[in-house]
């Protein structure tokens, strides 16, 4: 039981040390260019995060084997951790200063005493180096390399049948949407009905756009699914009736905004804003 | 005269022996190859073929199949411009398993590391555990060959074309993917001179993986007028999966409707996009209805259907019809 407690404390100790301590006024700086070579499309594999996993695996391996009293493997993992840590420190020259080889070696030495308390204490110095880098760079690395960029996506506008940039398409679809709402607000129901057809075809085109990245249908149905279909059917019914009901019309408009636009913007917009900043010409 | 007769006898004699030998060899190779000891066959194996060979190596014997495959979309699954653009320079992981499959065996394959430029090639589909697998049990000295009935079943194609396979299953049509996209004709599996004649002719599948052309016989149009409405339906009558179909590509049918007044002036128009990614593709043998409200007096409609494949921006006309009121 005591061993478990020690192990738990050691993990908590390390995790606190390695967890990024984000400041409230965090600056999201674009990652250095040299990091690009460790991520697709320059690299076929996301080598940087794989490197992180390697170090994390060896670190965990030290403590797991200390628990099992498998000291041969403790020593192996300790040596491999130092080796990978050194290798990582050379991968991105701009980040060299985050690394403290001495702290890594001290941890390995402590681990090799096979005393879990000593190893836990020594992990603090090493963990701090990880935590500092994570605090300053983790968000931006994820934003840059783990989220595909919307700005590379091209969309075929179903009306003009021309391929346009994603941002441009968002402008086009927004104008189509206003064609429906503004005309309805002015009681121009015929015009609104025509605008609805255009808006619907552009809105539905987004299903094709989603499938450029998402393989499963469930994802695109989350954005453009049954609710959207029902809303469009309701809108069409109102606009083709002799006396459209404004209450039903706006309810359906609200449904489209909530399920389609809002869902997607909530998931993707923040990251897209960050990428947009970096993609602007200097 | 006697000498001549003896020579003739010898020629006939040797001829008969030779013909019997060739006949026996033909029989042995085609009907009783299991009589040949495995140890003897081991001596004839080509080591290069047993180590995931390039398609070019296979073409040394299977020239016709290689030439057909070269014409197919499968051969350029990794190198086509459309794929490179759509996969953001091949960086989208979801594309890799089926564009560079390691081994296709009825489930979604793993992507491979080597020979990526070969795309979906001979080895991807036929090479398992240093043996060639296919629809026949036969003797091929350079490599062991094993029959697997899956090669003529749709489920094999369904390893990658999963969505299309499910659509086909739902139709309960017996014709398989291979029946339409790999039609078979009698021919020889190998073109290696001399050896080809020792193998009997078999049904050989077309490895161009034919795409087929959609015509007005496949998609049936029906249309009619009401006072302020124009109703139209399309029915995929002959193709036992959705039209168009794709797991991840974006092929489309574009339906254009133009409305004209008495003077022949265009007064309105509409358009439908029929595409698998928009979940609007035409299911097998089911009418899909469209309705258009007429805002102006209309006396004629022109309906045009065009097809655009997943790998091209070009549209091909399926039909164009004019309907008067």
């Amino acid at each position: 039981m005591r061993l478990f407690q020690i192990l738990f404390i050691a993990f908590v100790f390390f995790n606190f040390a390695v967890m990024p301590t984000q400041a409230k006024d965090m600056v999201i700086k674009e990652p250095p260019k040299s990091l690009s070579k460790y991520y697709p499309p320059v690299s076929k594999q996301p080598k940087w995060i794989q490197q992180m996993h390697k170090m994390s695996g060896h670190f965990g391996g030290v403590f797991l084997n200390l628990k099992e009293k498998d000291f041969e493997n403790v020593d192996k993992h300790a040596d491999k951790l130092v080796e990978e840590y050194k290798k990582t420190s050379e991968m991105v020259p701009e980040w060299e200063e985050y690394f403290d080889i001495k702290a890594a070696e001290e941890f390995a030495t402590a681990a090799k005493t096979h005393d879990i308390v000593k190893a836990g204490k020594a992990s603090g110095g090493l963990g701090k180096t990880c935590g500092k880098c994570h605090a300053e760079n983790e968000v931006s690395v994820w934003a840059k390399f783990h989220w595909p960029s919307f700005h590379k996506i091209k969309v075929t506008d179903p009306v003009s049948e021309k391929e346009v940039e994603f941002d441009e398409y968002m402008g086009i679809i927004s104008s189509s949407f206003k064609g429906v709402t503004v005309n309805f607000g002015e009681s121009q129901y015929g015009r609104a009905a025509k605008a609805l057809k255009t808006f619907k075809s552009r809105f539905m085109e987004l299903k094709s756009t989603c499938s450029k990245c998402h393989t499963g249908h469930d994802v695109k149905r989350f954005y453009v699914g049954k609710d959207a279909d029902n809303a469009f059917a309701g809108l069409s019914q109102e606009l083709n009736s002799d006396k459209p009901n404004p209450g039903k019309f706006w309810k359906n408009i609200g449904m489209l905004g909530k399920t389609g636009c809002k869902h997607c913007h909530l998931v993707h917009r923040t990251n897209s804003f960050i990428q947009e900043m970096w993609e602007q010409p200097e | 005269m006697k000498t001549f007769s003896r020579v003739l006898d010898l020629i006939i004699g040797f001829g008969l022996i030779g013909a019997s030998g060739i006949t026996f060899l033909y029989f042995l190779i085609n009907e009783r190859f299991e009589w040949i000891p495995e140890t003897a066959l081991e001596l004839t194996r080509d080591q290069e073929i047993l180590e995931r060979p390039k398609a070019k190596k296979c073409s040394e014997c299977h020239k016709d199949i290689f030439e057909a495959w070269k014409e197919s979309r499968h051969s350029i699954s990794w190198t086509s411009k459309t794929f490179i653009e759509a996969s953001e320079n091949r960086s989208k992981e979801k594309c890799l398993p089926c564009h560079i499959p390691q081994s296709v065996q009825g489930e979604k394959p793993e992507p491979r590391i080597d020979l990526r430029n070969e795309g979906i090639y001979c080895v991807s589909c036929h090479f398992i555990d240093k043996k060639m697998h296919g629809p026949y049990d036969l003797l091929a000295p350079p490599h062991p060959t094993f029959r697997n009935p899956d090669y003529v079943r749709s489920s094999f194609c369904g390893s990658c074309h999963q969505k299309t396979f499910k659509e086909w299953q739902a139709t309960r049509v017996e014709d398989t993917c291979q029946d339409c996209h790999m039609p078979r004709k009698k021919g020889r599996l190998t073109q290696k001179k001399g050896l080809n004649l020792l193998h009997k002719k078999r049904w050989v599948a077309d490895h161009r993986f034919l795409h087929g052309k959609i015509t007005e016989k496949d998609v049936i149009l029906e249309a009619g007028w009401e006072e302020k409405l124009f109703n139209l339906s399309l029915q995929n009558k002959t193709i036992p999966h959705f039209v168009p179909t794709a797991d991840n590509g974006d092929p489309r049918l574009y339906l254009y409707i133009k409305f004209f007044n008495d003077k022949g002036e265009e007064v309105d128009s509409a358009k439908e996009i029929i595409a698998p990614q928009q979940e609007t593709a035409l299911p097998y043998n089911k009418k899909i209805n469209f309705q258009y409200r007429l805002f102006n007096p209309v006396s004629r409609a022109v309906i045009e259907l065009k097809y655009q494949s997943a790998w091209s921006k070009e549209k091909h006309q399926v039909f164009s019809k004019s309907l008067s009121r």
Side-chain angles (χ1 to χ4, degrees):
Chain A
M1 197 60 200
R2 190 173 165 267
L3 184 64
F4 266 118
Q5 285 169 343
I6 292 168
L7 199 63
F8 178 73
I9 292 162
F11 265 111
V12 169
F13 188 71
F14 175 77
N15 280 330
F16 268 111
V18 82
M19 283 283 274
T21 43
Q22 311 283 19
K24 280 184 180 171
D25 56 351
M26 181 174 63
V27 175
I28 302 173
K29 256 192 326 193
E30 187 172 10
K33 292 229 174 346
S34 61
L35 188 63
S36 307
K37 64 181 176 219
Y38 304 115
Y39 277 103
V42 182
S43 160
K44 281 188 175 142
Q45 303 277 327
K47 285 183 184 163
W48 180 257
I49 191 122
Q50 285 172 349
Q51 192 62 21
M52 296 294 118
H53 290 159
K54 271 186 199 170
M55 290 192 292
S56 170
H58 291 306
F59 183 83
V62 167
F63 284 101
L64 283 171
N65 285 298
L66 278 172
K67 181 192 158 199
E68 296 292 339
K69 298 194 188 307
D70 180 350
F71 299 127
E72 193 183 328
N73 274 323
V74 168
D75 295 356
K76 270 187 198 168
H77 281 293
D79 287 339
K80 285 298 276 180
L81 176 64
V82 175
E83 186 188 320
E84 295 299 341
Y85 189 85
K86 280 181 182 167
K87 191 177 160 192
T88 314
S89 74
E90 289 160 9
M91 287 170 79
V92 181
E94 295 90 333
W95 285 351
E96 202 186 345
E97 286 181 8
Y98 285 114
F99 293 85
D100 183 349
I101 309 292
K102 200 173 153 227
E105 285 170 343
E106 279 171 4
F107 169 68
T109 308
K112 284 176 178 176
T113 64
H114 306 153
D115 180 336
I116 200 162
V117 179
K118 277 186 186 167
K121 271 187 186 168
S123 73
L126 177 62
K128 268 183 195 160
T129 69
C130 307
K132 186 170 191 297
C133 187
H134 287 182
E136 291 179 12
N137 300 297
E138 201 171 18
V139 173
S140 55
V141 172
W142 274 83
K144 174 102 179 170
F145 296 107
H146 293 262
W147 280 88
S149 170
F150 272 88
H151 310 104
K152 288 178 188 161
I153 295 174
K154 288 199 168 69
V155 186
T156 305
D157 175 26
V159 179
S160 68
E161 292 178 24
K162 282 185 185 145
E163 213 171 50
V164 295
E165 302 285 334
F166 187 83
D167 287 350
E168 192 185 339
Y169 192 72
M170 283 294 111
I172 291 170
I173 204 169
S174 168
S175 301
S176 297
F177 178 68
K178 280 165 200 140
V180 182
T181 52
V182 171
N183 277 312
F184 187 87
E186 292 167 359
S187 304
Q188 298 284 356
Y189 303 131
R191 283 190 214 163
K194 266 185 141 180
L196 180 71
K197 282 233 159 203
T198 306
F199 172 60
K200 186 185 173 187
S201 71
R202 285 181 166 143
F203 194 85
M204 290 301 169
E205 180 64 34
L206 293 172
K207 279 191 176 180
S208 289
T209 313
C210 296
S211 65
K212 287 175 193 280
C213 290
H214 298 289
T215 323
H217 282 303
D218 291 347
V219 174
K220 59 188 177 192
R221 281 185 194 138
F222 176 67
Y223 302 115
V224 189
K226 231 178 176 55
D227 287 337
D229 286 339
N230 292 340
F232 273 117
L235 286 168
S236 182
Q237 197 181 333
E238 286 313 312
L239 291 173
N240 287 315
S241 68
D242 292 332
K243 207 175 169 192
N245 178 328
K248 287 182 182 172
F249 174 86
W250 290 111
K251 189 182 166 198
N252 282 315
I253 286 286
M255 178 67 83
L256 278 181
K258 200 170 106 185
T259 62
C261 315
K262 193 177 170 188
H263 275 178
C264 184
H265 288 189
L266 277 176
V267 176
H268 291 289
R269 201 69 187 101
T270 309
N271 200 69
S272 183
F273 278 134
I274 297 171
Q275 290 182 345
E276 223 166 85
M277 294 298 161
W278 293 336
E279 284 166 20
Q280 276 172 6
E282 299 198 0
Chain B
M1 193 64 186
K2 246 184 182 175
T3 318
F4 175 73
S5 172
R6 272 188 191 164
V7 170
L8 196 64
D9 285 349
L10 276 173
I11 290 170
I12 292 169
F14 278 120
L16 280 172
I17 292 167
S20 308
I22 289 170
T23 308
F24 177 72
L25 202 59
Y26 185 86
F27 173 76
L28 186 70
I29 288 172
N30 291 289
E31 306 296 338
R32 290 287 181 272
F33 57 88
E34 66 273 16
W35 290 355
I36 304 170
E38 193 56 39
T39 43
L41 288 174
E42 290 295 333
L43 301 172
T44 64
R45 302 298 188 216
D46 183 335
Q47 281 309 312
E48 196 182 336
I49 296 177
L50 305 183
E51 299 293 339
R52 299 182 63 84
K54 285 184 176 178
K56 193 76 190 151
K57 177 71 184 169
C58 304
S59 79
E60 288 175 10
C61 288
H62 306 287
K63 185 169 168 283
D64 287 358
I65 290 176
F66 172 80
E67 296 294 344
W69 167 79
K70 280 298 273 183
E71 283 182 41
S72 74
R73 300 294 310 170
H74 282 179
S75 73
I76 53 169
S77 63
W78 186 248
T79 53
S80 92
K81 198 172 159 242
T82 316
F83 170 68
I84 294 170
E85 277 175 11
S87 61
E88 286 177 19
N89 197 19
R90 298 151 167 166
S91 65
K92 282 187 186 166
E93 283 180 38
K94 75 161 186 167
C95 310
L96 307 186
C98 289
H99 279 260
I100 39 165
Q102 172 81 3
S103 183
V104 178
Q105 294 180 47
E107 287 175 357
K108 184 157 252 179
E110 289 294 321
R112 67 172 186 275
I113 303 295
D114 64 333
L115 301 177
R116 289 182 161 192
N117 283 347
E118 302 269 73
I120 304 151
Y121 71 128
C122 323
V123 158
S124 304
C125 294
H126 293 283
F127 186 91
I128 305 168
D129 297 334
K130 298 195 168 196
K131 295 171 191 115
M132 290 299 170
H133 292 241
Y136 297 113
D137 253 335
L138 46 77
L139 177 77
H143 55 75
T145 310
F146 285 90
R147 178 178 172 270
N148 181 343
D150 287 346
Y151 282 86
V152 292
R153 289 179 181 146
S154 295
S155 54
F156 190 82
C157 311
S159 309
C160 283
H161 302 280
Q162 294 182 343
K163 201 169 123 189
T164 309
F165 173 64
K166 282 181 193 151
E167 291 166 3
W168 169 81
Q169 269 186 319
T171 68
R172 299 180 176 275
V173 168
E174 284 184 7
D175 290 343
T176 63
C177 308
Q178 292 88 336
D179 287 333
C180 295
H181 298 283
M182 297 182 78
R184 299 193 289 173
K185 63 176 186 185
K186 272 269 170 108
R188 297 194 195 278
L189 286 166
T190 167
Q191 283 67 48
K192 193 127 184 168
K193 277 187 184 140
L195 291 178
N196 58 339
L197 299 173
L198 285 172
H199 287 281
K200 71 177 179 188
K201 284 190 176 179
R202 292 172 192 272
W203 291 105
V204 182
D206 192 329
H207 281 66
R208 284 178 295 167
F209 305 96
L210 303 174
H211 179 256
K213 198 179 170 202
I214 305 165
T215 69
E216 60 184 314
K217 285 178 187 162
D218 302 309
V219 179
I220 309 296
L221 167 75
E222 282 180 5
W225 304 89
E226 285 179 44
E227 195 192 342
K228 280 189 171 178
L229 295 170
F230 178 65
N231 298 311
L232 180 156
S233 77
L234 292 177
Q235 186 177 8
N236 160 21
K237 195 74 185 161
T238 62
I239 303 168
H241 51 69
F242 279 48
V243 170
T245 183
D247 275 57
N248 293 299
D250 197 8
R252 291 161 176 224
L253 282 167
Y254 283 87
L255 178 70
Y256 302 95
I257 306 112
K258 285 181 181 170
F259 296 103
F260 297 88
N261 63 15
D262 283 343
K263 293 175 191 164
E265 294 161 339
E266 187 182 322
V267 291
D268 208 350
S269 66
K271 185 195 291 188
E272 304 291 345
I273 293 173
I274 298 162
Q277 302 308 344
Q278 296 188 30
E279 299 179 304
T280 52
L282 304 174
Y284 177 63
N285 219 6
K286 188 182 169 191
K287 271 187 194 173
I288 299 297
N289 300 309
F290 303 91
Q291 190 171 65
Y292 305 95
R293 187 174 164 194
L294 305 171
F295 295 97
N296 302 297
V298 169
S299 63
R300 192 168 63 94
V302 172
I303 302 142
E304 197 179 19
L305 188 68
K306 288 184 172 180
Y307 174 70
Q308 181 185 295
S309 69
W311 57 85
S312 170
K313 299 282 173 221
E314 265 180 62
K315 297 186 187 78
H316 300 279
Q317 193 179 74
V318 178
F319 61 68
S320 176
K321 292 184 178 185
S322 177
L323 267 120
S324 295
R325 194 160 193 172

